[in-house]
Amino acid sequence: MIKPVEWAADGIIMLDQRLLPAEERYLKLRSYEEVADAIRQMVVRGAPAIGIAAAMGIALGLKQSIGTSVADLEEDFEYICETMSRTRPTAVNLFWAIERMRAAFQKAKSETSDVEEIKQRLIAEARAIHEEDLAANRAIGRFGAELIPDGATVLTHCNAGALATGGDYGTALGVVRGARDAGKRVAVIADETRPFLQGARLTAWELAKDGIPVTLITDNMAGHVMKQGKVSAVVVGADRIAANGDTANKIGTYMVAVLAKEHNIPFYVAAPISTIDLSIPSGDQIPIEERDPSEVTQLRDQRIAPEGIDVYNPAFDVTPNELITAIITDKGVARPPYTQSLRALVQGA
Ligand code: MRU
């Protein structure tokens, strides 16, 4: 099983996703600052995975706190939570995980004044978030499998697989794995996903490792393969889903959704309930991360654009709800109108 992030007694083990597919190297992060930095640098990436990493980073930071009173511990805890919340802005799973850790701290504090006991409870909470993510992705896979016909070819964008989650199934790739495990024949077309190349480096790598047939294309080939009738369905992950179903995902997802509509191809979003943000009415309120221009002007260390050129590098875009056929969650499949269906799923969760 691919394990992007794991709790260990003396730190947090992370697969360095920046080096894939050339090298499978695991790092041991020994402080919460190192974990925050790993999230920022995209050693670990993908909405559920950065939520899990943040929760583990908070638990690690708290474990290392030298505070002897609950008040001292809480001061350190809040500082660590703040640090984690400033790593990446778009994926709501990160903030969801921080809030879960906050609630666990408050509960622990109300039940004990033993500092060591509080630390142990927060470690247990971070590990529970990880375990629950694995189960949620299996459920997404079961619900999603029903939407995928036998013999389908699924086009996906970015990486919403084991690497982007707690491991194992993933979300969008969980749907593919769910279909395969239900006995269906299924193949994948992976967009390379400029500029960070999650499709080429990560999706292609993890599917090939798993024996699922995968064909890599560049992003600008998606329309052509759809027109040729090579795509049965599009399945992508999500970083944040607003109350009305508008969905932020990796930059380029919106373009794929427009193309899918033009070609009458179903466009599915697969994500756990923790990706749904009912506090914002629409995608207009989703903060979009902008990343370093060097991701666009360079391929690894090779410069591919003139020195000093102006660059715009938004890491995500928002797909309007009317382009989304259905949203596959771990609690069931939401269909339009999403304002009602998503609320029902979240409240029933
Ligand atoms: O910038 P990244 O690699 O963190 O972006 C990841 C994505 O956009 C994924 O599609 C999304 O987080 C869903 S992961 C299950």
Side-chain angles (χ1 to χ4, degrees), residues 138-157:
R138 285 275 168 166
I140 289 170
R142 279 193 300 276
F143 287 120
E146 290 171 26
L147 304 173
I148 304 299
D150 184 32
T153 297
V154 170
L155 183 138
T156 194
H157 191 76

Side-chain angles (χ1 to χ4, degrees), residues 8-9 40 42 53 63 106 128 136 182 198 237 286 291 303 314 341 345:
R40 234 176 265 121
M42 293 172 71
K63 185 180 164 203
Q106 290 309 318
Q198 288 93 331
I286 299 176
R291 294 190 61 86
R303 178 162 265 284
S341 58
L345 285 183

Side-chain angles (χ1 to χ4, degrees), residues 77-99:
F77 176 77
E78 271 312 318
Y79 186 80
I80 298 164
C81 288
E82 271 304 306
T83 304
M84 288 300 165
S85 70
R86 283 195 301 270
T87 51
R88 296 191 73 192
T90 303
V92 75
N93 310 60
L94 180 96
F95 304 95
W96 171 88
I98 294 170
E99 284 315 308

